[in-house]
Amino acid sequence: MMIDFRPRLFGLATVLAMIAAPAMAADSPEAVRRIRIAATGLDRATPDIARLGFTARGEGTSADEATAAVSTSMKAITAALGAVREGRYDVTVSDLSMTQVRDKACDNGQSYQPRPRLSTGPCAIIGYVAELQATLRLSPATKAGTMTGVITRAGGLNARVNAFELANPAEARKRAIASALSHAQAEAEAIAKASGVRLGTVLAINNDNDRGGDEITVSANRVSAPPPPPPPPPPIEIDMMPSPITTNAMVTVFYAIAE
Protein backbone atom coordinates (compact mmCIF):
# COMPACT_ATOMS: atom_id res chain seq x y z
CA MET A 1 0.00 0.00 0.00
CA MET A 2 1.51 3.38 -1.03
CA ILE A 3 0.74 6.62 0.79
CA ASP A 4 1.30 9.95 -0.94
CA PHE A 5 2.68 12.74 1.37
CA ARG A 6 2.94 15.49 -1.28
CA PRO A 7 -0.31 17.35 -0.49
CA ARG A 8 0.66 17.62 3.15
CA LEU A 9 4.16 18.90 2.34
CA PHE A 10 2.71 21.48 -0.04
CA GLY A 11 0.29 22.71 2.61
CA LEU A 12 3.09 23.08 5.21
CA ALA A 13 5.27 25.03 2.79
CA THR A 14 2.40 27.36 2.00
CA VAL A 15 1.85 28.13 5.72
CA LEU A 16 5.56 28.79 6.29
CA ALA A 17 5.65 31.15 3.33
CA MET A 18 2.65 33.09 4.64
CA ILE A 19 4.31 33.46 8.07
CA ALA A 20 7.65 34.53 6.63
CA ALA A 21 6.24 37.10 4.23
CA PRO A 22 5.22 39.74 6.83
CA ALA A 23 8.55 39.36 8.64
CA MET A 24 10.49 39.97 5.42
CA ALA A 25 8.34 42.98 4.63
CA ALA A 26 8.94 44.47 8.09
CA ASP A 27 12.70 44.11 7.67
CA SER A 28 12.79 45.71 4.24
CA PRO A 29 14.29 49.23 3.85
CA GLU A 30 10.93 50.59 2.70
CA ALA A 31 9.19 49.48 5.95
CA VAL A 32 11.77 50.97 8.36
CA ARG A 33 12.90 54.46 7.41
CA ARG A 34 14.42 55.91 10.54
CA ILE A 35 17.67 57.01 12.18
CA ARG A 36 18.61 55.74 15.63
CA ILE A 37 20.92 57.94 17.72
CA ALA A 38 22.37 57.15 21.17
CA ALA A 39 23.78 60.27 22.82
CA THR A 40 25.22 61.28 26.20
CA GLY A 41 24.80 64.63 27.91
CA LEU A 42 26.77 66.08 30.82
CA ASP A 43 26.10 68.74 33.40
CA ARG A 44 28.83 70.09 35.68
CA ALA A 45 27.67 72.05 38.71
CA THR A 46 29.50 73.33 41.77
CA PRO A 47 28.22 71.53 44.89
CA ASP A 48 26.38 73.72 47.37
CA ILE A 49 26.08 71.23 50.26
CA ALA A 50 28.81 69.55 52.33
CA ARG A 51 28.37 66.64 54.73
CA LEU A 52 30.77 66.52 57.68
CA GLY A 53 31.14 63.70 60.19
CA PHE A 54 32.45 63.94 63.74
CA THR A 55 32.39 62.15 67.11
CA ALA A 56 31.36 63.52 70.51
CA ARG A 57 32.96 61.62 73.40
CA GLY A 58 32.17 61.34 77.10
CA GLU A 59 33.86 59.36 79.88
CA GLY A 60 32.87 58.43 83.41
CA THR A 61 33.17 55.84 86.15
CA SER A 62 29.52 54.91 85.55
CA ALA A 63 27.33 54.67 82.49
CA ASP A 64 25.30 57.67 83.67
CA GLU A 65 28.43 59.80 84.04
CA ALA A 66 29.62 58.87 80.55
CA THR A 67 26.18 59.61 79.09
CA ALA A 68 26.03 63.01 80.81
CA ALA A 69 29.55 63.80 79.63
CA VAL A 70 28.84 62.97 75.98
CA SER A 71 25.64 65.04 76.13
CA THR A 72 27.60 68.01 77.49
CA SER A 73 30.21 67.55 74.77
CA MET A 74 27.55 67.48 72.06
CA LYS A 75 25.91 70.63 73.40
CA ALA A 76 29.26 72.43 73.42
CA ILE A 77 29.87 71.48 69.78
CA THR A 78 26.38 72.59 68.79
CA ALA A 79 26.83 75.90 70.59
CA ALA A 80 30.13 76.51 68.79
CA LEU A 81 28.48 75.80 65.44
CA GLY A 82 25.60 78.12 66.29
CA ALA A 83 28.03 80.94 67.04
CA VAL A 84 29.14 80.92 63.40
CA ARG A 85 26.69 83.27 61.73
CA GLU A 86 27.52 82.41 58.13
CA GLY A 87 25.82 79.51 56.40
CA ARG A 88 23.01 77.12 57.28
CA TYR A 89 23.47 73.76 58.95
CA ASP A 90 21.63 70.81 60.43
CA VAL A 91 23.04 68.24 62.86
CA THR A 92 21.84 64.62 62.92
CA VAL A 93 22.91 61.82 65.25
CA SER A 94 23.17 58.35 63.73
CA ASP A 95 24.81 56.15 66.36
CA LEU A 96 25.55 55.98 70.10
CA SER A 97 27.99 53.46 71.54
CA MET A 98 28.81 52.68 75.19
CA THR A 99 32.07 50.82 75.85
CA GLN A 100 33.21 49.27 79.12
CA VAL A 101 36.74 50.10 80.20
CA ARG A 102 38.98 47.64 82.08
CA ASP A 103 42.40 48.05 83.57
CA LYS A 104 45.27 47.41 81.18
CA ALA A 105 46.39 44.54 83.43
CA CYS A 106 43.38 42.62 82.10
CA ASP A 107 44.99 42.49 78.67
CA ASN A 108 47.81 40.31 80.01
CA GLY A 109 50.14 41.63 77.35
CA GLN A 110 47.74 40.87 74.51
CA SER A 111 46.07 43.52 72.40
CA TYR A 112 43.14 41.29 71.43
CA GLN A 113 41.39 38.58 73.42
CA PRO A 114 38.44 36.95 71.67
CA ARG A 115 37.31 35.03 74.76
CA PRO A 116 34.81 36.65 77.17
CA ARG A 117 36.20 37.92 80.48
CA LEU A 118 34.50 38.14 83.86
CA SER A 119 34.34 41.60 85.39
CA THR A 120 36.37 40.60 88.44
CA GLY A 121 39.94 41.05 89.58
CA PRO A 122 42.11 42.88 87.05
CA CYS A 123 39.26 42.65 84.50
CA ALA A 124 36.75 44.55 86.65
CA ILE A 125 35.03 47.40 84.83
CA ILE A 126 36.53 50.69 86.00
CA GLY A 127 34.73 53.11 83.67
CA TYR A 128 32.68 53.74 80.56
CA VAL A 129 33.21 55.62 77.29
CA ALA A 130 30.18 56.94 75.39
CA GLU A 131 30.54 58.12 71.78
CA LEU A 132 28.02 59.85 69.54
CA GLN A 133 28.48 59.67 65.76
CA ALA A 134 27.05 62.84 64.23
CA THR A 135 26.69 64.36 60.78
CA LEU A 136 26.63 68.04 59.88
CA ARG A 137 24.82 69.04 56.68
CA LEU A 138 26.17 72.44 55.71
CA SER A 139 25.46 75.10 53.10
CA PRO A 140 27.39 76.70 51.48
CA ALA A 141 29.86 73.90 50.90
CA THR A 142 32.78 76.33 50.86
CA LYS A 143 32.47 76.63 54.67
CA ALA A 144 33.23 72.94 55.21
CA GLY A 145 36.86 73.54 56.17
CA THR A 146 35.98 76.33 58.59
CA MET A 147 33.30 74.25 60.30
CA THR A 148 35.70 71.30 60.61
CA GLY A 149 38.00 73.53 62.64
CA VAL A 150 35.10 74.83 64.76
CA ILE A 151 33.99 71.29 65.63
CA THR A 152 37.51 70.25 66.61
CA ARG A 153 38.02 73.37 68.73
CA ALA A 154 34.80 72.60 70.63
CA GLY A 155 35.98 69.08 71.50
CA GLY A 156 34.69 67.03 68.57
CA LEU A 157 36.82 64.09 67.48
CA ASN A 158 37.67 62.85 64.01
CA ALA A 159 36.00 65.81 62.27
CA ARG A 160 36.11 65.27 58.52
CA VAL A 161 34.43 66.21 55.24
CA ASN A 162 32.59 63.11 54.01
CA ALA A 163 30.95 64.30 50.78
CA PHE A 164 29.83 67.21 48.65
CA GLU A 165 26.34 67.24 47.14
CA LEU A 166 23.92 69.26 45.03
CA ALA A 167 20.92 70.81 46.75
CA ASN A 168 18.77 70.12 43.67
CA PRO A 169 20.14 67.12 41.72
CA ALA A 170 16.89 66.89 39.72
CA GLU A 171 17.67 70.18 37.99
CA ALA A 172 21.15 68.94 37.14
CA ARG A 173 19.62 65.79 35.63
CA LYS A 174 17.23 67.90 33.53
CA ARG A 175 20.15 69.92 32.18
CA ALA A 176 22.08 66.73 31.39
CA ILE A 177 19.09 65.25 29.52
CA ALA A 178 18.64 68.49 27.57
CA SER A 179 22.32 68.33 26.63
CA ALA A 180 21.96 64.70 25.49
CA LEU A 181 18.94 65.56 23.31
CA SER A 182 20.79 68.49 21.78
CA HIS A 183 23.74 66.24 20.89
CA ALA A 184 21.37 63.63 19.44
CA GLN A 185 19.69 66.25 17.24
CA ALA A 186 23.01 67.56 15.92
CA GLU A 187 24.31 64.06 15.20
CA ALA A 188 21.08 62.99 13.47
CA GLU A 189 21.14 66.08 11.24
CA ALA A 190 24.76 65.39 10.30
CA ILE A 191 23.98 61.77 9.42
CA ALA A 192 20.91 62.73 7.38
CA LYS A 193 22.84 65.39 5.44
CA ALA A 194 25.72 63.01 4.72
CA SER A 195 23.24 60.33 3.61
CA GLY A 196 21.35 62.65 1.25
CA VAL A 197 18.03 62.38 3.10
CA ARG A 198 15.89 64.82 5.03
CA LEU A 199 15.44 64.39 8.75
CA GLY A 200 11.85 64.00 9.90
CA THR A 201 10.11 64.17 13.26
CA VAL A 202 11.06 62.32 16.44
CA LEU A 203 9.44 58.88 16.59
CA ALA A 204 10.48 57.82 20.09
CA ILE A 205 12.89 58.71 22.91
CA ASN A 206 14.26 56.23 25.44
CA ASN A 207 15.81 57.49 28.67
CA ASP A 208 18.69 55.11 29.42
CA ASN A 209 19.65 56.54 32.82
CA ASP A 210 20.12 54.20 35.76
CA ARG A 211 18.32 55.82 38.64
CA GLY A 212 19.65 55.27 42.12
CA GLY A 213 17.61 54.59 45.23
CA ASP A 214 16.19 57.17 47.58
CA GLU A 215 18.36 58.51 50.33
CA ILE A 216 17.48 57.00 53.71
CA THR A 217 18.25 58.82 56.95
CA VAL A 218 18.68 56.41 59.85
CA SER A 219 17.78 59.02 62.44
CA ALA A 220 17.67 62.77 62.69
CA ASN A 221 17.74 63.98 66.26
CA ARG A 222 18.07 67.71 66.52
CA VAL A 223 20.27 68.59 69.49
CA SER A 224 19.05 71.68 71.30
CA ALA A 225 21.64 74.31 72.13
CA PRO A 226 22.16 75.49 75.73
CA PRO A 227 22.20 79.17 76.70
CA PRO A 228 24.93 80.89 74.70
CA PRO A 229 28.36 80.84 76.39
CA PRO A 230 30.76 83.78 76.33
CA PRO A 231 31.62 84.72 72.74
CA PRO A 232 34.34 82.40 71.42
CA PRO A 233 37.23 83.66 69.34
CA PRO A 234 36.40 84.01 65.65
CA PRO A 235 36.80 80.79 63.67
CA ILE A 236 39.81 80.27 61.49
CA GLU A 237 38.64 80.57 57.91
CA ILE A 238 39.62 77.73 55.56
CA ASP A 239 38.61 78.37 51.96
CA MET A 240 37.51 75.25 50.15
CA MET A 241 36.72 74.96 46.44
CA PRO A 242 35.01 71.60 45.93
CA SER A 243 35.28 70.03 42.51
CA PRO A 244 32.18 70.26 40.28
CA ILE A 245 29.76 67.35 40.38
CA THR A 246 29.20 65.74 36.98
CA THR A 247 25.72 64.44 36.16
CA ASN A 248 25.41 62.05 33.20
CA ALA A 249 22.35 61.41 31.07
CA MET A 250 21.97 58.93 28.19
CA VAL A 251 19.14 58.94 25.66
CA THR A 252 18.27 56.95 22.55
CA VAL A 253 16.29 58.92 19.94
CA PHE A 254 14.57 57.52 16.85
CA TYR A 255 14.06 60.06 14.02
CA ALA A 256 11.90 59.51 11.01
CA ILE A 257 13.37 59.96 7.55
CA ALA A 258 11.13 62.46 5.75
CA GLU A 259 9.83 61.58 2.31
Side-chain angles (χ1 to χ4, degrees):
M1 179 177 180
M2 181 179 297
I3 300 176
D4 188 3
F5 291 95
R6 286 178 295 175
R8 296 184 182 182
L9 293 176
F10 175 79
L12 178 60
T14 303
V15 172
L16 292 177
M18 293 175 62
I19 295 176
M24 295 175 60
D27 294 336
S28 63
E30 292 77 15
V32 181
R33 295 180 55 83
R34 63 183 184 178
I35 298 176
R36 176 183 180 274
I37 300 294
T40 301
L42 301 177
D43 178 76
R44 294 174 61 84
T46 301
D48 37 24
I49 293 176
R51 288 190 182 271
L52 284 67
F54 64 92
T55 303
R57 178 185 173 99
E59 303 177 3
T61 57
S62 67
D64 288 346
E65 287 183 7
T67 303
V70 76
S71 177
T72 300
S73 175
M74 192 68 191
K75 290 178 180 178
I77 296 171
T78 306
L81 293 171
V84 181
R85 299 303 178 186
E86 299 181 14
R88 301 182 304 277
Y89 73 93
D90 184 32
V91 178
T92 59
V93 177
S94 60
D95 189 25
L96 170 63
S97 63
M98 184 74 70
T99 306
Q100 298 87 357
V101 179
R102 294 175 168 85
D103 191 272
K104 63 179 180 180
C106 182
D107 295 337
N108 195 22
Q110 300 181 14
S111 58
Y112 177 70
Q113 292 179 329
R115 293 178 298 176
R117 296 166 292 179
L118 296 177
S119 300
T120 59
C123 292
I125 297 174
I126 59 176
Y128 295 84
V129 174
E131 290 186 337
L132 277 174
Q133 304 297 329
T135 300
L136 174 71
R137 186 177 185 271
L138 171 68
S139 179
T142 53
K143 291 295 180 182
T146 302
M147 288 303 213
T148 301
V150 170
I151 293 170
T152 304
R153 176 196 287 176
L157 303 177
N158 302 321
R160 62 209 175 273
V161 179
N162 287 334
F164 291 104
E165 303 173 358
L166 297 176
N168 195 344
E171 291 299 322
R173 184 177 295 277
K174 290 179 182 178
R175 293 192 296 267
I177 292 175
S179 174
L181 291 174
S182 177
H183 292 165
Q185 177 75 19
E187 188 170 348
E189 291 175 350
I191 292 175
K193 182 178 180 180
S195 302
V197 298
R198 187 164 58 89
L199 192 65
T201 59
V202 175
L203 297 175
I205 299 176
N206 293 335
N207 186 354
D208 300 329
N209 294 293
D210 293 329
R211 298 185 179 275
D214 295 332
E215 181 180 355
I216 300 176
T217 302
V218 177
S219 63
N221 300 326
R222 181 70 180 183
V223 182
S224 59
I236 299 175
E237 294 288 340
I238 301 177
D239 294 329
M240 297 193 71
M241 294 298 294
S243 300
I245 294 178
T246 301
T247 303
N248 298 319
M250 297 180 62
V251 296
T252 302
V253 186
F254 295 88
Y255 294 92
I257 297 177
E259 296 297 336

